[in-house]
Amino acid sequence: MTVIASSRPRALPAIAAIALALGGALAAGTVAAQTATTAAAPASAARSHADSSFMKNAAESNFAEIAAADLALKKGTSADVKAFAQKMMDDHKKADSELQTLAASKGVKLPTDATMVQKGKAKILEQRDGTSFDHHYAENQVGAHKDAVKLFEKASKDAKDADVKAWAAKMLPALQHHLQEAQALEQATKAADKKK
């Protein structure tokens, strides 16, 4: 009996050691799996966040462009300013419609208005009249389209979603053309404003 009693204590520590080792290995595997999942999640979240952020910024820019164009159609004095404003209205409404469809297909909820900064610029512009309005509208359009070109250039190269990337690339030439037209309009309206 003494032999049996002495063999049990030896077996228990061995079983406990095996259980401890297995438990440790399982725990380590679980932690490794959780770490891998956590590491992968931010990368995919960051990718989709960047594309979503681009679409949201593009939507806000469209709203700002449409509002500015509406103001220019009401307050502009130059036929060139009014023609440019009508083109901005038409092009940005079309772009917004395409963007709404794209965002809906990606499950991205877009803003429904321009940013507070964009609204502030519009309020300042609204205080101007005559050739001063025309010149400052054109000047604002140069700045807005420089920003838009940068935004769309980045998305056309870096967007992770193929559809988002393709839409940005498709829109870029029109925005670059808008920028050129805005720069020419700024020069023309600046000269007219100085004559005043």
Side-chain angles (χ1 to χ4, degrees):
M1 293 232 183
T2 312
V3 175
I4 294 173
S6 65
S7 67
R8 277 191 189 197
R10 285 186 197 151
L12 272 170
I15 292 171
I18 292 170
L20 209 71
L22 281 174
L26 288 173
T30 303
V31 168
Q34 287 174 340
T35 304
T37 304
T38 306
S44 63
R47 282 195 299 268
S48 64
H49 175 72
D51 291 355
S52 297
S53 182
F54 160 70
M55 288 188 277
K56 289 173 184 178
N57 289 338
E60 290 166 342
S61 292
N62 279 331
F63 287 123
E65 285 299 318
I66 292 165
D70 185 52
L71 186 60
L73 288 169
K74 292 174 185 167
K75 293 193 76 168
T77 56
S78 157
D80 290 340
V81 165
K82 287 185 179 279
F84 178 81
Q86 188 61 58
K87 181 175 183 175
M88 293 306 98
M89 176 79 75
D90 296 342
D91 288 359
H92 284 279
K93 279 186 175 182
K94 182 179 179 212
D96 184 58
S97 176
E98 290 177 13
L99 179 57
Q100 295 289 338
T101 302
L102 175 63
S105 75
K106 304 299 175 186
V108 175
K109 185 171 174 18
L110 295 177
T112 57
D113 209 348
T115 66
M116 292 306 287
V117 171
Q118 291 163 332
K119 287 180 182 182
K121 287 180 182 179
K123 281 285 182 201
I124 292 168
L125 183 60
E126 202 173 321
Q127 303 308 309
R128 298 192 178 273
D129 290 307
T131 57
S132 176
F133 173 87
D134 290 350
H135 175 228
H136 285 90
Y137 168 70
E139 188 177 71
N140 286 354
Q141 288 299 296
V142 170
H145 282 93
K146 279 182 180 178
D147 291 344
V149 165
K150 281 182 198 168
L151 179 70
F152 278 73
E153 278 177 342
K154 182 168 176 23
S156 70
K157 293 175 190 164
D158 300 340
K160 303 304 180 206
D161 184 286
D163 295 332
V164 172
K165 191 175 205 172
W167 184 75
K170 174 186 150 190
M171 298 307 295
L172 186 56
L175 290 168
Q176 290 167 329
H177 186 66
H178 288 176
L179 174 58
Q180 291 170 348
E181 289 178 315
Q183 288 168 328
L185 187 63
E186 181 187 20
Q187 290 306 309
T189 57
K190 184 177 185 179
D193 194 26
K194 282 186 177 177
K195 287 179 188 174
K196 186 173 104 172

